[in-house]
Amino acid sequence: MPTILAIESSCDDTSAAICKDGKILANIISSQKVHEAWGGVVPELASRAHMKNIIVTVDMALRESGIAREQLDAIAFTRGPGLIGSLLVGVSFAKGMAMALGLPLIEVNHMQAHVMANFIDQTPSFPHICLTVSGGHTQIILVKAPLEMELIGETLDDAAGEAFDKTAKLLGLPYPGGPLIDKLAQLGNPNKFKFAEPQINGYDYSFSGLKTSILYFIQKETRSDLDFIKENINDLCASIQKTIVDILLKKLTLAVRENNITEIALAGGVSANSELRKRFQDLGNNNNWKVHIPRFEYCTDNAAMIATVANYKFLNKDFCSYDVEPLARYQISKG
Ligand code: KG4
Ligand code: ZN
C-alpha cells in the first residue's frame, strides 16, 4: 500500500494530508481569514494566500506524519472543480514536487473526494446515495463503487451553503454565515416563521427563490419594526435552517426510495450543520437505512479526502501526465 501526499487548494482552504496504507497520518488545514472583510471569497486574494500557505502546510503535514519526502510513493492534487487561480497553485506545486522527487502524479475530482470523505473511517457498502452539500455544490450522487459515481440530482441555481451564507448576509451576519446560523438557531424556534419551499421536478434543487422570499419578508417586517431582525434573530435562524434542511431531505428521501437504496451518506461543508446531521441520522433510523456522516474535519474542504481518492487511484495505477491542467468545471458524470 502506498504513502501519498495530497494537496487541496480548490477554494479558500490550503490543505495537505499524508495517507499511508490507506490510513490518514496527517491532515493540515490552513483557513484563509482574509475573505471575512469582503463578505465572500475573493478569488485573487485566495490564490495569493494559497501561494503563501502551501509550503508551510505541506511541511507541517510531513512533520506531523513523521514521513520523509523520500518515503512518498505519489503526489495527489485537486484538479477541479474550483477557482482556477487557487487550483493552479496546488497543481503547480504538486507537479514541481513530483518532478523533483521523480514521483507519479494523481489528479482528483474535488466532488468525488467529498463523497469519499465517508470512506476515511467508515466502510460504506454499494450502492448507496450520498448527499453532498457545500458552498458551491448541492448534489445527490448514486455511489456504485469507490470511484464509480453517478450524479442524479443537483441544484439549478444556488448551493445549500450559498443559501445559508446569503440569507445570513440578509440578517447582517458576517461571512461565512452558515456556522453562525447553526449556532443562533440552537436558541430559536424553528416553527416561528414559514418560508415557501421550491417546486422543482425530480431530484434537482433550487435555493434562489428561498433567498428572495426571505429578503421580501425581512423588508416587509422591518418597515413596521426597525429592530425586527435583532428581536427575532434566533427564531429567524432556526426557521431558515429548518426550511433548508426540509428541502434537502425531501429530495434525498425521494431519490433513496425510488432507487431502492438502504444506505445513505452525507458530505461537504454544510454537513457540519448540527440540525442537518441530526435529522439525517433520524431519517436513516426511521427508515432502517444505514447512515454515514463524516467527522467534522472531513466535512469542510480538506486534503484527507483527496488522499483517500488518490489511494484507490494508486491501486488502479491511475496516474496523470505532468502536463495536466486544472479544471474550473469538473463534473461527476450524470445518470
Ligand atoms: O465544502 P466547503 O468547506 O467548501 C466548498 O467546497 O464550498 O463548504 C463551505 C460551506 C459554506 O457555505 C459554509 O457556510 C457552510 O459550508 N457551512 C455550514 C456550516 N459549516 C460550514 N453551513 C451550515 N451550518 C454549518 N455548521
Ligand atoms: Zn468542497
Side-chain angles (χ1 to χ4, degrees):
M1 292 276 255
T3 303
I4 298 171
L5 162 68
I7 292 163
E8 154 64 32
S9 73
S10 65
C11 189
D12 61 339
D13 292 306
T14 318
S15 181
I18 305 288
C19 170
K20 184 177 192 291
D21 302 333
K23 290 215 160 39
I24 301 298
L25 301 186
N27 180 40
I28 306 294
I29 304 168
S30 314
S31 298
Q32 303 178 359
K33 297 279 170 240
V34 61
H35 308 287
E36 276 169 20
W38 301 92
V41 176
V42 184
E44 170 80 20
L45 296 179
S47 315
R48 287 168 187 262
H50 282 304
M51 286 291 288
K52 233 179 176 171
N53 295 343
I54 197 156
I55 291 177
V56 63
T57 308
V58 168
D59 216 45
M60 279 172 76
L62 286 165
R63 259 189 290 151
E64 190 176 298
S65 62
I67 296 289
R69 288 178 185 80
E70 297 68 35
Q71 290 172 274
L72 293 172
D73 296 307
I75 299 194
F77 63 89
T78 302
R79 186 179 183 190
L83 301 171
I84 199 71
S86 293
L87 291 166
L88 275 166
V89 176
V91 176
S92 306
F93 185 92
K95 282 185 189 181
M97 192 160 168
M99 274 186 190
L101 296 170
L103 294 177
L105 271 177
I106 302 174
E107 57 93 27
V108 174
N109 179 314
H110 180 87
M111 299 315 296
Q112 203 168 46
H114 268 304
V115 173
M116 291 195 58
N118 280 295
F119 292 63
I120 296 175
D121 29 41
Q122 302 162 74
T123 40
S125 44
F126 306 100
H128 69 264
I129 280 184
C130 182
L131 173 67
T132 308
V133 275
S134 74
H137 296 84
T138 304
Q139 301 184 333
I140 297 180
I141 309 278
L142 180 61
V143 189
K144 299 173 177 171
L147 299 172
E148 209 186 316
M149 303 177 190
E150 208 176 275
L151 178 70
I152 59 171
E154 64 183 329
T155 182
L156 304 175
D157 41 59
D158 288 351
E162 272 177 302
F164 272 106
D165 296 339
K166 288 181 178 175
T167 51
K169 206 169 173 179
L170 297 176
L171 301 177
L173 299 173
Y175 177 87
L180 280 169
I181 290 195
D182 190 353
K183 193 169 154 220
L184 298 172
Q186 317 225 348
L187 304 167
N189 172 5
N191 299 311
K192 177 87 178 274
F193 305 110
K194 293 262 177 282
F195 302 107
E197 288 182 26
Q199 305 298 321
I200 306 288
N201 287 337
Y203 309 146
D204 287 336
Y205 291 106
S206 167
F207 286 103
S208 64
L210 175 67
K211 181 191 63 197
T212 312
S213 80
I214 293 169
L215 171 69
Y216 289 160
F217 173 73
I218 288 172
Q219 282 177 341
K220 188 175 119 253
E221 295 297 329
T222 45
R223 239 174 265 141
S224 54
D225 176 7
L226 270 177
D227 288 331
F228 176 76
I229 294 179
K230 213 164 106 198
E231 285 160 1
N232 294 281
I233 187 75
N234 296 337
D235 293 340
L236 281 165
C237 287
S239 303
I240 290 167
Q241 177 172 274
K242 177 181 183 292
T243 311
I244 295 174
V245 173
D246 282 348
I247 296 170
L248 287 172
L249 296 187
K250 236 175 234 175
K251 287 297 174 94
L252 173 77
T253 305
L254 184 69
V256 173
R257 293 221 169 105
E258 289 189 351
N259 288 277
N260 298 315
I261 299 291
T262 54
E263 199 160 324
I264 53 173
L266 192 58
V270 182
S271 61
N273 182 269
S274 52
E275 173 78 3
L276 179 60
R277 290 171 89 88
K278 184 183 163 296
R279 290 194 36 209
F280 194 85
Q281 185 68 55
D282 291 347
L283 180 70
N285 295 350
N286 295 340
N287 288 284
N288 240 343
W289 300 335
K290 199 165 174 202
V291 172
H292 302 277
I293 303 178
R295 257 198 264 167
F296 277 110
E297 63 173 306
Y298 302 141
C299 289
T300 45
D301 288 347
N302 68 88
M305 66 185 194
I306 306 299
T308 303
V309 174
N311 189 56
Y312 280 95
K313 284 196 154 186
F314 188 100
L315 301 178
N316 292 339
K317 297 197 166 43
D318 187 355
F319 304 122
C320 65
S321 88
Y322 279 2
D323 56 14
V324 66
E325 289 174 12
L327 300 170
R329 286 171 184 274
Y330 193 1
Q331 276 275 31
I332 293 177
S333 61
K334 277 193 183 178

